Amino acid sequence: MTTSDSVLTGPRPTSVPSVGPVVAELEDEIVSFRRDLHRHPELSYEEYRTTDRIVELLSGYGLSPVRMESTGAYVDVGEGPVVLALRADIDALPVEEETGLPYVSVNDGVAHACGHDMHTAVMAGVAVALGRILRGATADPDLRAVGERVHGTVRVIFQPAEERLPGGSLAVLRQGILDDVPRILAAHCDPQVDVGSIGTRIGAITSAADTIRITLTGRGGHTSRPHLTEDMVFALSQIAVNVPAVLSRRIDVRSAVSVVWGQIAAGSAPNAIDNTGYLAGTMRCLDADVWEEAGALLDEVVRQVAAPYGVHVQLEHVRGVPPVHNTEGETALIETAARRELGSRAIVLTPQSMGGEDFAWMTQKVPGSMLRLGTRSPGGPIYDLHRGDYAPDERAIGVGMRVFTAAALQVLTGEDHH
């Protein structure tokens, strides 16, 4: 059963016809393409085969993709100035896959556990669908007629290295790929939302995300004489507990600054105080302005908490990404397309996530919006991202293709007035 057979009917408030027929023509091939990517995941800036497969698919449909430096690619569909960009990320994670699917990863310790293979398949399918509509190469007569009255170009970007901070989207910016782009859209899989639905939100939809690494050094010794040492374990524990607590009193709680530790290490024997210790974690923040404030405050607070214990502090604060900010006009563009293709009930308000997403760098440059693409099978298990057992419902590919193809046609035909 294709996506168009199931949950995708609804009102069409514009003169652009439903893109369901062209999606149905392509969906089986795009799902197979996604399975191939899933079977051969590649880490950040190592996406050579993935890039080759994207270029191969698009070229096979008469498009002219352009390779980016190293890995990644983009393709322009249409003629005239760029009126809209669509972005997918293509890298995988250093996670062992545990899905047991027939197309399970063949690369040990690497898996598409965040759904980037789904994002890539959706946007590749949109590029192909748009190309067919603009060339009149679809069997649907209404869509062929629409292809005759479009003007402008849609740029579809396949970005590398989203999972490596500060993010491969900076490479897209550095190479000038967004210089002539007036607006941009993207998607991220959401295993909390049922397939057939999308989540939208105006304003920040993700969090700022930084990495914190703290190394302590000091005089070690015997646990029977801690007064003759700089007690490393005690100092680490005070930083681990008190830095998040102090920040929560120094920064507006409405910005939701969250410091969570993932690593702590010191010592090798129960009766010995080591001379080094290590603590690492992340700092996340829902507000871009407060993110800047928290970064400056972190160093002060860490050193103040550590000072009574006489240890030397080396703080490495790796700035990550700001929040993705969804603009009103671009979110409305997504919602209009989704209402036409899926029906109004398919649009849900998504909460702001504490996860980071490097699409944020793009939305700092041009107006943009990211939707949450529902990937949960109704009534099925709820997976989490970045887990080896994440298994999205592939019907979401057709859902995404329909929403983004419809949104692109709205802009290409001049029917989007935001």
Side-chain angles (χ1 to χ4, degrees), residues 325-340:
H325 182 81
N326 285 351
T327 47
E328 184 175 356
E330 284 56 50
T331 304
L333 172 60
I334 289 171
E335 292 180 349
T336 300
R339 276 193 295 271
R340 183 174 71 248

Side-chain angles (χ1 to χ4, degrees), residues 185-204:
L185 306 178
H188 201 296
C189 289
D190 191 337
Q192 307 290 321
V193 176
D194 283 354
V195 67
S197 295
I198 65 164
T200 62
R201 182 182 189 87
I202 297 171

Side-chain angles (χ1 to χ4, degrees), residues 244-260:
V246 172
L247 287 174
S248 74
R249 295 301 183 269
R250 297 283 300 274
I251 296 173
D252 190 333
V253 295
R254 291 171 295 182
S255 64
V257 172
S258 172
V259 174
V260 179

Side-chain angles (χ1 to χ4, degrees), residues 34 38 97-101 103 112-115 118 191 375-377 381-385 387-394:
R34 180 258 166 172
H38 188 91
E97 182 164 352
E98 301 171 355
T99 64
L101 293 167
Y103 46 92
H112 272 295
C114 198
M118 297 283 288
T375 64
R376 177 178 181 261
S377 297
I382 296 178
Y383 298 96
D384 199 3
L385 300 173
R387 273 181 28 173
D389 63 348
Y390 176 51
D393 190 319
E394 290 180 310

Side-chain angles (χ1 to χ4, degrees), residues 126-141:
V126 172
V128 173
L130 284 174
R132 287 171 68 88
I133 292 169
L134 270 54
R135 293 193 310 272
T138 174
D140 186 84

